[in-house]
Amino acid sequence: MVKKIIKDIPLLYGFIKPIYLYIYRFYKLLKCIFRQVNISCEGDIIILGTGPSLKTDINRVLLNKADTPIMVVNSFCLDDSFCSLKPSFYVLADPGYYNDEARGCCEDDRDIFIQTINNVVNWPITIILPVSGNKSFLVKKLRNNKFIDFIFIESNHCIHPLFVKKFISYNKNISTPIFQNVLQMCLYYCIYKKYQNIFVFGADHNWCKDIMVTEDNVVAINENHCYGYEHHKVHPLEKLDGAYWNMGELFEAWMNVYKGYYDLYNYANYNCVKIFNESSVSFVDAFPRKSGRF
Protein backbone atom coordinates (compact mmCIF):
# COMPACT_ATOMS: atom_id res chain seq x y z
CA MET A 1 0.00 0.00 0.00
CA VAL A 2 2.76 2.44 1.02
CA LYS A 3 4.78 1.47 -2.06
CA LYS A 4 1.80 2.23 -4.32
CA ILE A 5 1.25 5.63 -2.69
CA ILE A 6 4.92 6.55 -3.14
CA LYS A 7 4.85 5.53 -6.82
CA ASP A 8 1.77 7.69 -7.36
CA ILE A 9 3.71 10.78 -6.26
CA PRO A 10 6.43 11.28 -8.91
CA LEU A 11 8.58 13.78 -6.98
CA LEU A 12 8.57 11.64 -3.84
CA TYR A 13 9.29 8.49 -5.83
CA GLY A 14 12.13 10.17 -7.70
CA PHE A 15 13.70 11.23 -4.40
CA ILE A 16 13.27 7.94 -2.52
CA LYS A 17 14.20 5.48 -5.28
CA PRO A 18 17.95 6.39 -5.56
CA ILE A 19 18.31 6.28 -1.77
CA TYR A 20 16.60 2.88 -1.64
CA LEU A 21 18.82 1.49 -4.41
CA TYR A 22 21.99 2.69 -2.70
CA ILE A 23 20.97 1.17 0.64
CA TYR A 24 19.94 -2.06 -1.07
CA ARG A 25 23.24 -2.32 -2.94
CA PHE A 26 25.11 -1.77 0.33
CA TYR A 27 23.00 -4.50 1.96
CA LYS A 28 23.84 -6.83 -0.93
CA LEU A 29 27.53 -6.01 -0.50
CA LEU A 30 27.41 -7.03 3.16
CA LYS A 31 25.65 -10.29 2.25
CA CYS A 32 28.28 -10.97 -0.40
CA ILE A 33 31.09 -10.47 2.11
CA PHE A 34 29.68 -12.80 4.75
CA ARG A 35 27.89 -15.48 2.71
CA GLN A 36 29.89 -18.67 2.14
CA VAL A 37 30.78 -19.69 -1.41
CA ASN A 38 28.82 -22.68 -2.63
CA ILE A 39 30.42 -26.14 -2.36
CA SER A 40 31.08 -27.76 -5.74
CA CYS A 41 29.23 -30.85 -6.97
CA GLU A 42 31.05 -33.63 -8.75
CA GLY A 43 30.11 -35.23 -12.03
CA ASP A 44 27.65 -34.33 -14.76
CA ILE A 45 23.97 -33.46 -15.07
CA ILE A 46 21.37 -33.72 -17.85
CA ILE A 47 18.78 -30.98 -18.37
CA LEU A 48 15.66 -31.85 -20.35
CA GLY A 49 13.66 -29.01 -21.87
CA THR A 50 10.26 -29.66 -23.41
CA GLY A 51 11.01 -28.85 -27.07
CA PRO A 52 9.52 -31.29 -29.61
CA SER A 53 12.99 -32.50 -30.65
CA LEU A 54 13.09 -34.41 -27.37
CA LYS A 55 10.50 -36.82 -28.77
CA THR A 56 13.31 -38.45 -30.75
CA ASP A 57 16.32 -37.34 -28.67
CA ILE A 58 14.94 -39.01 -25.54
CA ASN A 59 16.22 -42.36 -26.82
CA ARG A 60 19.77 -40.99 -26.73
CA VAL A 61 19.21 -39.95 -23.14
CA LEU A 62 17.78 -43.31 -22.10
CA LEU A 63 20.68 -45.20 -23.67
CA ASN A 64 23.49 -43.04 -22.26
CA LYS A 65 22.27 -41.48 -19.03
CA ALA A 66 23.88 -44.12 -16.76
CA ASP A 67 23.67 -42.72 -13.20
CA THR A 68 23.71 -39.08 -14.27
CA PRO A 69 21.14 -36.97 -12.39
CA ILE A 70 18.37 -35.53 -14.56
CA MET A 71 16.68 -32.15 -14.28
CA VAL A 72 13.31 -31.46 -15.93
CA VAL A 73 11.11 -28.38 -16.31
CA ASN A 74 7.58 -27.03 -16.61
CA SER A 75 5.03 -29.70 -17.61
CA PHE A 76 7.52 -32.47 -18.39
CA CYS A 77 5.69 -34.65 -15.86
CA LEU A 78 3.09 -35.19 -18.61
CA ASP A 79 5.64 -36.95 -20.81
CA ASP A 80 5.50 -40.76 -20.98
CA SER A 81 9.18 -41.02 -20.00
CA PHE A 82 8.83 -39.06 -16.74
CA CYS A 83 8.32 -42.04 -14.44
CA SER A 84 10.98 -44.19 -16.12
CA LEU A 85 13.58 -41.40 -15.99
CA LYS A 86 12.83 -40.56 -12.34
CA PRO A 87 14.47 -37.13 -12.51
CA SER A 88 16.25 -35.83 -9.42
CA PHE A 89 15.34 -32.17 -9.96
CA TYR A 90 12.28 -30.29 -11.19
CA VAL A 91 12.66 -26.59 -12.00
CA LEU A 92 9.83 -24.06 -12.28
CA ALA A 93 10.70 -20.45 -13.13
CA ASP A 94 7.40 -19.22 -14.58
CA PRO A 95 5.24 -17.71 -11.78
CA GLY A 96 2.24 -19.20 -13.57
CA TYR A 97 3.17 -22.55 -12.06
CA TYR A 98 3.17 -21.39 -8.47
CA ASN A 99 1.54 -17.96 -8.18
CA ASP A 100 -1.73 -17.92 -6.26
CA GLU A 101 -3.22 -15.38 -8.67
CA ALA A 102 -2.57 -17.35 -11.87
CA ARG A 103 -5.44 -17.17 -14.35
CA GLY A 104 -6.42 -18.79 -17.66
CA CYS A 105 -3.89 -21.21 -19.18
CA CYS A 106 -1.41 -20.47 -16.39
CA GLU A 107 -3.89 -21.63 -13.76
CA ASP A 108 -4.72 -24.76 -15.78
CA ASP A 109 -1.03 -25.69 -16.13
CA ARG A 110 -0.43 -25.12 -12.42
CA ASP A 111 -3.33 -27.29 -11.28
CA ILE A 112 -2.54 -30.11 -13.72
CA PHE A 113 1.10 -30.05 -12.57
CA ILE A 114 0.14 -30.32 -8.89
CA GLN A 115 -2.28 -33.17 -9.52
CA THR A 116 0.15 -35.11 -11.71
CA ILE A 117 3.12 -34.77 -9.36
CA ASN A 118 1.09 -35.86 -6.36
CA ASN A 119 -0.30 -38.87 -8.25
CA VAL A 120 2.79 -40.29 -9.93
CA VAL A 121 5.96 -39.35 -8.02
CA ASN A 122 7.19 -42.22 -5.85
CA TRP A 123 10.90 -41.40 -5.73
CA PRO A 124 12.87 -38.56 -4.10
CA ILE A 125 12.70 -35.38 -6.17
CA THR A 126 13.70 -31.78 -5.44
CA ILE A 127 11.57 -28.97 -6.82
CA ILE A 128 13.55 -25.76 -7.41
CA LEU A 129 11.67 -22.46 -7.33
CA PRO A 130 12.51 -18.76 -7.08
CA VAL A 131 12.44 -17.63 -3.47
CA SER A 132 9.23 -15.71 -4.24
CA GLY A 133 7.45 -19.07 -4.49
CA ASN A 134 8.29 -20.07 -0.92
CA LYS A 135 4.76 -19.65 0.46
CA SER A 136 2.89 -20.24 -2.77
CA PHE A 137 -0.23 -22.27 -3.49
CA LEU A 138 1.90 -24.96 -5.20
CA VAL A 139 4.25 -25.38 -2.22
CA LYS A 140 1.33 -25.64 0.18
CA LYS A 141 -0.25 -28.37 -1.96
CA LEU A 142 2.97 -30.41 -2.31
CA ARG A 143 4.66 -29.78 1.03
CA ASN A 144 3.20 -32.90 2.68
CA ASN A 145 4.36 -35.25 -0.09
CA LYS A 146 7.12 -37.32 1.54
CA PHE A 147 9.00 -37.71 -1.76
CA ILE A 148 9.33 -33.97 -2.45
CA ASP A 149 11.90 -31.49 -1.17
CA PHE A 150 12.15 -27.83 -2.13
CA ILE A 151 15.04 -25.50 -2.90
CA PHE A 152 14.42 -21.77 -3.24
CA ILE A 153 16.94 -19.60 -5.03
CA GLU A 154 17.27 -15.86 -5.49
CA SER A 155 15.80 -14.48 -8.70
CA ASN A 156 17.30 -10.99 -8.71
CA HIS A 157 19.01 -9.87 -11.90
CA CYS A 158 18.42 -6.16 -11.37
CA ILE A 159 20.83 -5.20 -8.63
CA HIS A 160 24.43 -6.35 -8.15
CA PRO A 161 26.35 -5.57 -4.96
CA LEU A 162 28.56 -2.49 -4.90
CA PHE A 163 32.18 -3.11 -5.99
CA VAL A 164 31.60 -6.85 -6.49
CA LYS A 165 32.16 -8.68 -9.77
CA LYS A 166 28.99 -10.07 -11.29
CA PHE A 167 30.04 -13.73 -11.28
CA ILE A 168 31.16 -13.57 -7.66
CA SER A 169 27.67 -12.39 -6.69
CA TYR A 170 26.23 -15.20 -8.86
CA ASN A 171 28.38 -17.73 -7.00
CA LYS A 172 26.96 -16.57 -3.68
CA ASN A 173 23.39 -16.42 -5.02
CA ILE A 174 23.25 -12.75 -4.08
CA SER A 175 22.24 -11.78 -7.61
CA THR A 176 21.40 -13.96 -10.59
CA PRO A 177 21.21 -13.89 -14.38
CA ILE A 178 17.86 -13.02 -15.89
CA PHE A 179 15.44 -15.97 -15.81
CA GLN A 180 13.41 -15.11 -18.90
CA ASN A 181 13.22 -18.81 -19.65
CA VAL A 182 13.19 -21.82 -17.32
CA LEU A 183 16.29 -23.33 -18.96
CA GLN A 184 18.22 -20.24 -17.89
CA MET A 185 17.28 -20.93 -14.29
CA CYS A 186 18.31 -24.58 -14.71
CA LEU A 187 21.68 -23.61 -16.16
CA TYR A 188 22.32 -21.01 -13.47
CA TYR A 189 21.64 -23.55 -10.71
CA CYS A 190 23.87 -26.20 -12.32
CA ILE A 191 26.70 -23.74 -12.92
CA TYR A 192 26.26 -22.39 -9.37
CA LYS A 193 26.58 -25.97 -8.07
CA LYS A 194 29.62 -26.40 -10.37
CA TYR A 195 28.66 -29.60 -12.12
CA GLN A 196 31.52 -30.46 -14.46
CA ASN A 197 29.49 -31.06 -17.62
CA ILE A 198 25.92 -29.96 -18.36
CA PHE A 199 24.08 -31.67 -21.22
CA VAL A 200 20.98 -29.89 -22.52
CA PHE A 201 18.22 -31.54 -24.57
CA GLY A 202 14.90 -30.21 -25.82
CA ALA A 203 16.15 -26.62 -26.24
CA ASP A 204 14.48 -26.08 -29.63
CA HIS A 205 13.67 -22.40 -28.97
CA ASN A 206 12.20 -21.96 -32.46
CA TRP A 207 8.90 -20.58 -31.20
CA CYS A 208 8.87 -17.81 -33.82
CA LYS A 209 7.61 -20.24 -36.48
CA ASP A 210 4.62 -21.13 -34.31
CA ILE A 211 3.24 -17.65 -33.52
CA MET A 212 0.31 -16.03 -35.28
CA VAL A 213 -2.06 -13.07 -34.99
CA THR A 214 -5.72 -14.04 -34.88
CA GLU A 215 -8.56 -12.24 -36.65
CA ASP A 216 -9.24 -10.53 -33.31
CA ASN A 217 -5.68 -9.10 -33.43
CA VAL A 218 -4.49 -11.29 -30.54
CA VAL A 219 -1.03 -12.88 -30.54
CA ALA A 220 -1.42 -16.65 -30.29
CA ILE A 221 0.86 -19.67 -30.50
CA ASN A 222 0.55 -23.15 -31.92
CA GLU A 223 2.07 -24.77 -28.86
CA ASN A 224 4.23 -27.83 -29.44
CA HIS A 225 6.11 -29.79 -26.79
CA CYS A 226 7.75 -33.17 -26.43
CA TYR A 227 4.81 -34.52 -24.45
CA GLY A 228 1.44 -35.28 -25.98
CA TYR A 229 -0.49 -32.68 -24.04
CA GLU A 230 -3.27 -31.28 -26.22
CA HIS A 231 -5.22 -29.30 -23.61
CA HIS A 232 -4.67 -25.98 -25.39
CA LYS A 233 -2.74 -26.69 -28.58
CA VAL A 234 -3.48 -23.29 -30.13
CA HIS A 235 -4.10 -20.51 -27.62
CA PRO A 236 -3.56 -16.79 -27.05
CA LEU A 237 -0.30 -15.91 -25.30
CA GLU A 238 -1.43 -14.91 -21.83
CA LYS A 239 0.40 -13.21 -19.00
CA LEU A 240 0.02 -14.22 -15.37
CA ASP A 241 -2.98 -11.95 -14.87
CA GLY A 242 -4.75 -13.21 -18.00
CA ALA A 243 -3.84 -10.20 -20.18
CA TYR A 244 -2.39 -10.90 -23.64
CA TRP A 245 1.17 -10.32 -24.79
CA ASN A 246 1.62 -8.01 -27.77
CA MET A 247 4.15 -8.81 -30.47
CA GLY A 248 6.68 -6.19 -29.34
CA GLU A 249 6.67 -7.48 -25.76
CA LEU A 250 7.01 -11.04 -26.99
CA PHE A 251 10.08 -10.46 -29.16
CA GLU A 252 11.70 -8.32 -26.46
CA ALA A 253 11.27 -11.21 -24.02
CA TRP A 254 12.73 -13.66 -26.52
CA MET A 255 15.68 -11.33 -27.10
CA ASN A 256 16.41 -11.53 -23.38
CA VAL A 257 16.31 -15.33 -23.60
CA TYR A 258 18.99 -15.52 -26.27
CA LYS A 259 21.14 -12.76 -24.75
CA GLY A 260 20.87 -14.42 -21.36
CA TYR A 261 22.45 -17.61 -22.67
CA TYR A 262 25.66 -15.73 -23.54
CA ASP A 263 25.85 -14.44 -19.98
CA LEU A 264 25.42 -18.01 -18.72
CA TYR A 265 28.10 -19.25 -21.11
CA ASN A 266 30.57 -16.73 -19.69
CA TYR A 267 29.52 -17.60 -16.14
CA ALA A 268 30.11 -21.29 -16.89
CA ASN A 269 33.60 -20.51 -18.18
CA TYR A 270 34.28 -18.52 -15.00
CA ASN A 271 33.42 -21.64 -12.95
CA CYS A 272 35.24 -24.04 -15.33
CA VAL A 273 31.92 -25.69 -16.22
CA LYS A 274 31.16 -26.99 -19.72
CA ILE A 275 27.71 -26.77 -21.30
CA PHE A 276 26.75 -28.84 -24.33
CA ASN A 277 23.58 -28.28 -26.32
CA GLU A 278 22.67 -31.83 -27.35
CA SER A 279 19.33 -30.85 -28.92
CA SER A 280 19.00 -32.16 -32.48
CA VAL A 281 16.97 -29.03 -33.32
CA SER A 282 17.86 -25.72 -31.67
CA PHE A 283 18.01 -21.97 -32.25
CA VAL A 284 20.37 -21.58 -29.27
CA ASP A 285 23.87 -20.73 -30.51
CA ALA A 286 25.60 -19.79 -27.24
CA PHE A 287 26.88 -23.28 -26.37
CA PRO A 288 28.89 -25.96 -28.20
CA ARG A 289 26.83 -28.63 -29.90
CA LYS A 290 27.38 -32.36 -29.37
CA SER A 291 29.71 -33.47 -26.60
CA GLY A 292 30.37 -36.88 -28.14
CA ARG A 293 28.86 -38.67 -25.16
CA PHE A 294 25.38 -38.98 -26.67
Side-chain angles (χ1 to χ4, degrees):
M1 181 66 180
V2 174
K3 185 176 180 181
K4 184 178 185 304
I5 293 173
I6 291 173
K7 283 193 171 184
D8 288 341
I9 306 174
L11 287 176
L12 183 61
Y13 182 68
F15 175 74
I16 291 177
K17 184 178 178 181
I19 298 174
Y20 166 77
L21 290 176
Y22 184 84
I23 294 172
Y24 191 64
R25 284 180 183 274
F26 185 72
Y27 163 73
K28 287 280 188 177
L29 174 61
L30 292 178
K31 284 184 71 176
C32 215
I33 291 171
F34 292 107
R35 180 175 286 186
Q36 294 291 325
V37 176
N38 179 61
I39 298 173
S40 302
C41 289
E42 294 183 358
D44 305 333
I45 190 166
I46 297 169
I47 300 174
L48 302 182
T50 58
S53 66
L54 193 62
K55 293 176 184 177
T56 54
D57 290 348
I58 194 66
N59 292 325
R60 293 161 54 206
V61 177
L62 291 168
L63 289 172
N64 298 285
K65 68 182 181 67
D67 295 324
T68 308
I70 293 174
M71 175 179 283
V72 298
V73 304
N74 293 351
S75 297
F76 186 86
C77 58
L78 301 175
D79 190 82
D80 293 338
S81 65
F82 178 64
C83 291
S84 58
L85 287 170
K86 291 182 168 53
S88 302
F89 301 99
Y90 211 123
V91 179
L92 301 172
D94 186 342
Y97 279 97
Y98 58 84
N99 192 287
D100 298 10
E101 298 179 0
R103 297 292 180 268
C105 295
C106 294
E107 184 178 15
D108 293 342
D109 288 344
R110 182 197 67 188
D111 293 345
I112 291 169
F113 172 84
I114 291 170
Q115 181 181 1
T116 305
I117 290 294
N118 265 331
N119 287 343
V120 305
V121 169
N122 58 4
W123 67 90
I125 190 168
T126 299
I127 297 178
I128 301 175
L129 294 168
V131 70
S132 59
N134 187 14
K135 297 180 180 180
S136 65
F137 178 84
L138 178 141
V139 172
K140 292 173 184 175
K141 288 294 184 180
L142 298 180
R143 180 70 82 179
N144 293 329
N145 190 315
K146 65 180 181 180
F147 296 108
I148 297 174
D149 285 323
F150 289 94
I151 290 176
F152 302 98
I153 64 175
E154 291 283 351
S155 178
N156 180 14
H157 66 276
C158 298
I159 301 177
H160 298 296
L162 290 166
F163 316 118
V164 177
K165 290 184 177 178
K166 179 170 64 175
F167 295 151
I168 293 176
S169 67
Y170 285 4
N171 273 348
K172 295 193 175 188
N173 193 220
I174 301 296
S175 60
T176 65
I178 187 171
F179 298 151
Q180 191 72 53
N181 177 276
V182 67
L183 283 180
Q184 292 174 319
M185 186 167 160
C186 292
L187 287 168
Y188 165 69
Y189 180 80
C190 294
I191 299 167
Y192 168 76
K193 298 298 288 186
K194 297 183 181 177
Y195 284 94
Q196 295 174 351
N197 297 292
I198 304 170
F199 305 101
V200 181
F201 291 83
D204 297 36
H205 284 43
N206 52 0
W207 314 284
C208 56
K209 67 181 180 62
D210 295 320
I211 59 173
M212 65 194 74
V213 178
T214 68
E215 292 182 358
D216 297 327
N217 209 33
V218 173
V219 179
I221 190 165
N222 183 15
E223 196 169 39
N224 194 8
H225 296 291
C226 60
Y227 47 82
Y229 180 42
E230 304 294 336
H231 185 65
H232 47 77
K233 184 67 174 178
V234 178
H235 65 89
L237 280 168
E238 291 180 299
K239 300 178 184 178
L240 185 64
D241 59 2
Y244 297 139
W245 289 80
N246 65 47
M247 196 67 78
E249 292 172 331
L250 185 62
F251 275 93
E252 183 177 16
W254 287 351
M255 176 191 70
N256 288 329
V257 171
Y258 295 110
K259 287 178 66 176
Y261 284 131
Y262 293 105
D263 186 39
L264 287 161
Y265 174 75
N266 291 327
Y267 177 43
N269 286 339
Y270 179 83
N271 278 355
C272 299
V273 172
K274 294 182 179 179
I275 303 172
F276 297 97
N277 182 5
E278 295 283 349
S279 313
S280 58
V281 175
S282 183
F283 273 24
V284 178
D285 63 346
F287 313 118
R289 303 290 295 275
K290 312 299 182 187
S291 62
R293 172 175 168 177
F294 296 92

